[in-house]
Amino acid sequence: MFPSNSTHYREWRAAKLANYPMHVDELIVQIGGLIAPDSASLAAIRSSCRRANMAIYSCRDTAADRKSILAFAAQFGLRRIDHHLCANDDGVAELTVTSDGDRGDYVPYSDRGLSWHTDGYYNEASVQVRAVILHCVQDAATGGQTALLDPEIAYIRLRDANPAYIAALEHPACMTIPANVKGGREVRPAVSGPVFSSDQAGGALHMRYSARKKNIRWRDDRATVAARACLAELLADDTGPVLRYDLQPGQGIISNNVLHDRSAFEDGPSRKRLLYRARFFDRINS
Ligand SMILES: [Fe+2]
């Protein structure tokens, strides 16, 4: 639950900062495999998600297919999957370098870096992405590192810097994503919304964000400009709370859609990076 009352907020803030991992290794939980992990592993993943809104699981059995990702997700109450544009029929996307059709037009399906964002920041309010599983089948020959930051830590840092930043980022017209038009057809309408909101079901903090320079229209006032600069500084700070990790085959990240980026990578002749990604409208039942 995300507190609105100021006394509760101070208590929540102190507990959050005291428990937040100092090092990415604190997020790692060893599990047998994706199908029917034991209860101690599930409890450890839930505990990490309560602490940092994410966990990195590491499977001893590295065999995984799209079905096993969905079975694993269901253990955490993640059932309502986002069937977005480039996913397969089951809703699980395969992130790999491709020049095929629709997918070839998007950066996630290239070897380029991806700037900081939360998934589905362009989704309408009724279909916000609350949780994501990213499972590594094959890592790249070089690069492809993931950086991670819990949105609750970003919120605390921004509110500490200036409470007016929070008000600016909670404005319902703070961030607008123009319509996605392909071949003269509108694939998705323009979407406006706040960066920070509190989830109607349960009151958890929700964050929509993209650091992309193109295709985002920001509300043009001083507080929003300053708030964005403050957030960009936090995300670029190598000595700050950002955690970085190189996912290995059989490892994955389960999160309440935390902030993340991806560095550019290069595939090898027999080493083609492949990640499964599933997005859910549910939050992790931790
Ligand atoms: Fe993403």
Side-chain angles (χ1 to χ4, degrees):
M1 183 73 77
F2 186 70
S4 49
N5 167 298
S6 62
T7 310
H8 286 159
Y9 174 74
R10 279 197 299 276
E11 288 168 7
W12 172 85
R13 176 189 175 281
K16 181 81 199 181
L17 292 175
N19 288 322
Y20 196 68
M22 299 295 285
H23 193 272
V24 72
D25 289 350
E26 295 177 53
L27 294 175
I28 301 174
V29 178
Q30 302 291 336
I31 66 173
L34 292 176
I35 301 288
D38 62 73
S39 55
S41 307
L42 291 174
I45 291 172
R46 288 201 179 94
S47 164
S48 180
C49 290
R50 281 196 299 277
R51 186 178 170 195
N53 277 305
M54 59 185 140
I56 296 171
Y57 60 84
S58 185
C59 302
R60 282 183 288 277
D61 172 8
T62 55
D65 55 12
R66 302 205 310 262
K67 236 163 111 180
S68 60
I69 303 287
L70 297 177
F72 181 67
Q75 300 277 347
F76 300 94
L78 305 179
R79 291 193 171 84
R80 293 181 300 152
I81 196 160
D82 181 8
H83 286 271
H84 69 101
L85 209 58
C86 300
N88 290 292
D89 290 348
D90 56 13
V92 180
E94 296 183 1
L95 301 181
T96 196
V97 177
T98 181
S99 53
D100 290 356
D102 276 345
R103 295 192 302 168
D105 296 343
Y106 295 101
V107 185
Y109 300 93
S110 75
D111 54 10
R112 284 178 279 158
L114 274 168
S115 59
W116 282 99
H117 64 282
T118 56
D119 273 21
Y121 59 86
Y122 38 75
N123 279 16
E124 289 179 60
S126 60
V127 283
Q128 288 300 300
V129 173
R130 296 187 180 86
V132 181
I133 293 179
L134 202 56
H135 180 89
C136 178
V137 178
Q138 179 63 64
D139 58 337
T142 57
Q145 188 179 61
T146 305
L148 300 156
L149 182 65
D150 183 344
E152 292 178 354
I153 296 294
Y155 179 98
I156 288 171
R157 290 297 197 96
L158 286 159
R159 187 159 160 171
D160 286 354
N162 188 344
Y165 293 169
I166 299 299
L169 296 176
E170 285 177 339
H171 193 283
C174 180
M175 178 173 137
T176 300
I177 318 302
N180 182 1
V181 179
K182 294 192 97 178
R185 192 173 69 88
E186 189 176 276
V187 183
R188 177 187 45 70
V191 175
S192 264
V195 168
F196 288 124
S197 57
S198 104
D199 210 323
Q200 282 181 344
L205 180 75
H206 183 76
M207 186 172 192
R208 293 167 65 243
Y209 179 70
S210 169
R212 287 183 71 166
K213 299 276 187 291
K214 285 192 286 185
N215 283 331
I216 313 271
R217 281 201 309 268
W218 288 96
R219 190 160 169 260
D220 190 14
D221 70 314
R222 278 218 315 245
T224 308
V225 172
R228 286 173 53 210
C230 183
L231 178 56
E233 205 176 301
L234 173 66
L235 296 174
D237 181 1
D238 282 340
T239 60
V242 167
L243 303 168
R244 292 175 198 281
Y245 195 71
D246 292 296
L247 283 173
Q248 303 298 307
Q251 296 186 330
I253 301 165
I254 178 168
S255 88
N256 285 319
N257 198 2
V258 297
L259 286 158
H260 56 288
D261 80 0
R262 175 189 84 192
S263 66
F265 63 89
E266 267 182 53
D267 284 333
S270 57
R271 196 161 164 188
K272 191 170 163 57
R273 190 180 195 261
L274 170 63
L275 269 70
Y276 291 140
R277 184 192 61 204
R279 295 167 164 172
F280 300 90
F281 302 136
D282 309 296
R283 275 176 68 84
I284 297 161
N285 61 5
S286 57

